[in-house]
Amino acid sequence: MIFTLSSILGFLLPTFLGGNQLVAALAVKNEQLHPGAPPVVMSSRNVNDNPTSLLCGLFTTANKDSVKDLLNDLSGRSSSCDTPAKTCRRHACKNKSGVFVCNDTNQQISLNCKTTVAYYAQNSLDLCCTGGDTAVSGQQFSDGNFNVIVAAADCSTGEDTYRPSKGPSSDPWGPNGECVGP
Ligand SMILES: *[C@@H]1O[C@H](CO)[C@@H](O)[C@H](O)[C@H]1NC(C)=O
Ligand SMILES: *[C@@H]1O[C@H](CO)[C@@H](O)[C@H](O)[C@H]1NC(C)=O
């Protein structure tokens, strides 16, 4: 078999660039979390899902230990995480901590709970509020016009009734405490 330059480049370039809009830190993290996996974990059926910006500490916080459990929960699901148009839906909840998907599009989006929702939420857990051991909130955006939020949650309310936000100035962080650090 003959490997021409163009066939080699044709293989390598998509491997390196492959629709990949990951910032460098996310690419490194992706390799740590999914050794040997392609740089972009494509998982959803009907939307782009390359992670873009990550914002930390915008919302009342979740508890880090609880978020680890929520990520395990999401990672074990075989059903997809569906979120209606123009809605934020809480897909996992425990101990006043939640993982939400917010959908900016005009149609329902169906995301793989494990490879997209849990993966995105893991970025907040790993890279946000790193100066403290207990509290975290973060929002990972996607080029598919959705974002995944880790924040405080009231598990007794409906999945679509609450949009994550910052608390009042008297209690900005909520029941799980302050987001410390970047
Ligand atoms: C999708 O729905 C929300 C709620 O209406 C809307 O404000 C936003 O523009 C869209 N995305 C998010 C973040 O919810
Ligand atoms: C539940 O949340 C509280 C307050 O954030 C925290 O102290 C506790 O460790 C959490 N429990 C579990 C089981 O995650």
Side-chain angles (χ1 to χ4, degrees):
M1 195 185 290
I2 296 171
F3 293 98
T4 63
L5 181 60
S6 69
S7 75
I8 292 170
L9 281 179
F11 172 75
L12 288 178
L13 283 179
T15 304
F16 287 128
L17 302 175
N20 175 8
Q21 315 200 2
L22 291 177
V23 297
L26 290 178
V28 168
K29 221 176 73 57
N30 185 55
E31 177 58 25
Q32 291 167 346
L33 292 171
H34 308 279
V40 175
V41 182
M42 293 303 293
S43 59
S44 41
R45 295 191 293 270
N46 58 355
V47 290
N48 293 332
D49 67 351
N50 302 302
T52 55
S53 50
L54 175 70
L55 303 180
C56 299
L58 291 184
F59 308 112
T60 52
T61 58
N63 173 262
K64 288 185 178 181
D65 286 335
S66 299
V67 173
K68 287 174 192 160
D69 291 341
L70 296 179
L71 299 187
N72 280 335
D73 170 4
L74 287 164
S75 294
R77 287 191 204 171
S78 54
S79 58
S80 69
C81 283
D82 296 342
T83 306
K86 301 288 182 189
T87 303
C88 290
R89 171 168 287 181
R90 192 185 68 235
H91 286 283
C93 197
K94 178 188 178 181
N95 195 23
K96 299 185 179 170
S97 300
V99 175
F100 305 77
V101 174
C102 288
N103 167 23
D104 288 319
T105 74
N106 291 318
Q107 58 190 35
Q108 170 169 301
I109 49 174
S110 299
L111 301 172
N112 183 306
C113 298
K114 175 178 182 175
T115 56
T116 302
V117 180
Y119 173 65
Y120 273 49
Q122 182 92 44
N123 287 337
S124 290
L125 180 63
D126 292 347
L127 301 173
C128 289
C129 312
T130 52
D133 291 333
T134 59
V136 63
S137 67
Q139 181 176 33
Q140 173 70 67
F141 285 88
S142 160
D143 63 354
N145 287 321
F146 67 88
N147 58 84
V148 175
I149 294 176
V150 171
D154 178 352
C155 304
S156 67
T157 63
E159 292 177 350
D160 297 342
T161 53
Y162 175 72
R163 243 186 112 66
S165 66
K166 197 73 159 270
S169 57
S170 58
D171 183 22
W173 299 111
N176 298 310
E178 180 181 357
C179 165
V180 180

